[in-house]
Amino acid sequence: ESVLTQSPGTLSLSPGESATLSCRSSASLSNIYIAWYQQKPGQAPRLLIYGASNRAAGIPDRFTGSGSGTDFTLTISRLDPEDFAVYYCQQYGDSFGPGTTVEIK
Amino acid sequence: EVQLVESGGGLVQPGGSLRLSCATSGFTFNRYWMIWVRQAPGKGLEWVAKINQYGSEGYYAESMKGRVTISRDDSKNSVFLQMNSLRGEDTALYYCARDADSGHALSHWGRGTLVTVSS
């Protein structure tokens, strides 16, 4: 079982700026198994990206997933106030990363 | 509209048992893997268990292996999580989630049911 780490733990940014979130695996993973989720306080997680780079239904194109092997990235361009939340990567059917909090600076 | 509604959570003493249920609607239940994920208060997400669409294969996180059993009843469009020998560290919000159509991800989630293990 691979272990996922996410960095940074917290990102402090202003609306309109871009965010780059990293997810690293302890073992090489197939892209098809990497997903990203957004979670806001008091809500269930929401799927953003599947297969490392495919946006889920209804997800704005300011969310972009990329990467391969052991290094994966979620980029959020032009942060909207509704984007401030916690983001998790997941190796499908298995472990989640510890999360990155994107907070308003 | 896809809906997943968890129930069965509550306060239980250490060493006790609970059976969580997840009632679903809005999709063909017997075509999807179903997954349980939990989140301790103020903590991150932790995968707990998953079951294939046939109910023939169940997989478990190491943290709960031997203490939980996942099952499903296609006639009721429901998935269950039987939890035994509960510990304080099992206190969490337990989410039910459904496999995505188009990829290996969890596309639909319930709101969760809270399990509190305390004397």
Side-chain angles (χ1 to χ4, degrees):
Chain A
E1 176 183 322
S2 60
V3 176
L4 299 179
T5 56
Q6 291 186 245
S7 61
T10 302
L11 265 179
S12 297
L13 296 166
S14 300
E17 292 188 301
S18 293
T20 301
L21 288 66
S22 173
C23 176
R24 289 187 171 171
S25 172
S26 60
S28 184
L29 300 174
S30 171
N31 283 16
I32 64 172
Y33 295 125
I34 290 294
W36 289 90
Y37 303 86
Q38 176 194 68
Q39 188 179 33
K40 297 179 182 178
Q43 296 185 18
R46 177 175 73 144
L47 176 65
L48 299 175
I49 300 288
Y50 65 92
S53 61
N54 303 288
R55 275 186 293 275
I59 301 304
D61 60 8
R62 62 179 182 273
F63 290 92
T64 302
S66 62
S68 64
T70 59
D71 292 322
F72 300 89
T73 301
L74 176 68
T75 302
I76 313 170
S77 58
R78 308 179 309 278
L79 277 165
D80 188 275
E82 67 181 19
D83 298 337
F84 292 92
V86 181
Y87 293 84
Y88 296 95
C89 60
Q90 187 205 14
Q91 175 190 356
Y92 170 71
D94 208 302
S95 55
F96 290 86
T100 291
T101 300
V102 179
E103 65 176 23
I104 298 177
K105 186 175 181 179
Chain B
E1 180 190 3
V2 173
Q3 290 193 329
L4 298 88
V5 179
E6 302 91 339
S7 61
L11 176 64
V12 61
Q13 291 189 337
S17 298
L18 273 180
R19 186 185 193 226
L20 307 184
S21 300
C22 173
T24 75
S25 60
F27 63 99
T28 305
F29 180 72
N30 62 13
R31 292 173 63 178
Y32 294 91
W33 285 68
M34 297 297 297
I35 296 92
W36 286 96
V37 174
R38 69 181 181 179
Q39 187 168 35
K43 301 298 184 181
L45 302 172
E46 180 185 16
W47 168 74
V48 174
K50 60 184 177 182
I51 188 166
N52 69 352
Q53 60 268 55
Y54 311 112
S56 58
E57 299 175 33
Y59 299 89
Y60 304 96
E62 284 298 322
S63 60
M64 297 206 79
K65 195 175 286 185
R67 300 190 296 122
V68 296
T69 303
I70 189 171
S71 61
R72 62 191 296 157
D73 184 339
D74 289 355
S75 70
K76 296 180 179 178
N77 292 334
S78 295
V79 61
F80 307 98
L81 188 69
Q82 176 68 43
M83 302 190 296
N84 303 321
S85 303
L86 285 164
R87 308 165 181 166
E89 55 264 37
D90 296 321
T91 294
L93 187 63
Y94 285 73
Y95 292 104
C96 168
R98 197 205 83 177
D99 204 9
D101 281 322
S102 49
H104 299 283
L106 306 179
S107 59
H108 295 83
W109 297 66
R111 293 188 169 207
T113 186
L114 181 62
V115 172
T116 303
V117 183
S118 175
S119 55

